[in-house]
Amino acid sequence: YASAEVTEHMMHIILGLIGLITVAYVWIWRMRSAAEMTQELAGVAGDVMAAARRLGFRRKLNLHPAESVEEPKLAVGGLAAAFLELGGLPTAEQQDAMMTALQKHLDLRLKDAEETLILGRWLVGESGGAVPAISRLSRRLVKLDRAGSLTPLMAVLNDVALAGRGGISHRQREALEEIATAYRVK
């Protein structure tokens, strides 16, 4: 009986050690994942800051970031990003079409178009999503450049829509109506 009790006691100790090792492994794995996510977020923040610096974007105190936009091309980039998002999960083809459209209709080099989209996506996030971003950025674009920005904006949005899956979505149609309202076009 004494041998069986010792063996049983040893099994409890071994199982306890296995449990501790498992908990330690899971804890270490979660800490590594958190560290990787933090590095990834820092990288995204660095990309946004670098794009902002290069494009001359400066956030004004006590103003929403969309109201700090001074360059019409940046507002168009944000509107294009929001418009694409309204169509659902974008395909690689749609993202490529948006990049090409920005280059073509806004006369941007590839690097400038990429940075415009980085900052544009950030503006969409800061606006609380695509729907509020459409409203904020279209109003801001009208204030910045009432006459000259509608044609390139619509050309970019048209190219994005043509790359879509069978036309534009209901939400994208509503976004176009919002833009038309901001420009007082109907």
Side-chain angles (χ1 to χ4, degrees):
Y1 291 110
S3 171
E5 287 178 12
V6 170
T7 304
E8 187 176 321
H9 185 67
M10 291 298 288
M11 288 300 289
H12 288 291
I13 291 173
I14 290 171
L15 287 174
L17 286 172
I18 290 172
L20 283 173
I21 291 170
T22 303
V23 167
Y25 173 77
V26 169
W27 184 78
I28 290 170
W29 178 73
R30 290 186 70 177
M31 290 298 118
R32 281 188 184 155
S33 295
E36 288 172 9
M37 190 180 310
T38 302
Q39 288 176 342
E40 191 172 303
L41 288 174
V44 169
D47 290 347
V48 170
M49 290 175 59
R53 209 174 303 116
R54 205 164 116 46
L55 295 174
F57 176 78
R58 298 202 190 294
R59 186 169 179 179
K60 297 175 186 168
L61 293 177
N62 301 323
L63 276 181
H64 188 275
E67 295 299 318
S68 298
V69 172
E70 294 295 333
E71 177 59 44
K73 291 177 181 183
L74 179 55
V76 170
L79 284 164
F83 184 78
L84 182 60
E85 188 177 311
L86 289 173
L89 189 61
T91 64
E93 180 182 278
Q94 289 171 308
Q95 291 178 6
D96 290 345
M98 182 171 52
M99 185 69 66
T100 302
L102 288 174
Q103 289 175 276
K104 177 181 173 184
H105 300 296
L106 300 180
D107 195 31
L108 295 174
R109 294 184 332 234
L110 177 61
K111 182 74 173 164
D112 292 336
E114 288 171 343
E115 290 180 341
T116 297
L117 278 179
I118 289 170
L119 213 49
R121 286 184 182 115
W122 177 77
L123 287 168
V124 171
E126 289 294 301
S127 295
V131 172
I134 292 285
S135 181
R136 284 183 181 271
L137 289 170
S138 60
R139 284 194 317 262
R140 183 63 186 158
L141 187 57
V142 167
K143 287 179 187 175
L144 287 174
D145 188 24
R146 176 132 177 84
S149 58
L150 182 59
T151 300
L153 170 63
M154 295 313 293
V156 168
L157 297 183
N158 184 57
D159 288 359
V160 170
L162 289 175
R165 303 171 214 127
I168 63 173
S169 71
H170 176 71
R171 293 175 68 197
Q172 287 174 320
R173 191 171 283 99
E174 288 175 345
L176 291 174
E177 291 171 8
E178 177 82 27
I179 292 167
T181 301
Y183 274 93
R184 293 181 178 92
V185 175
K186 279 260 174 161

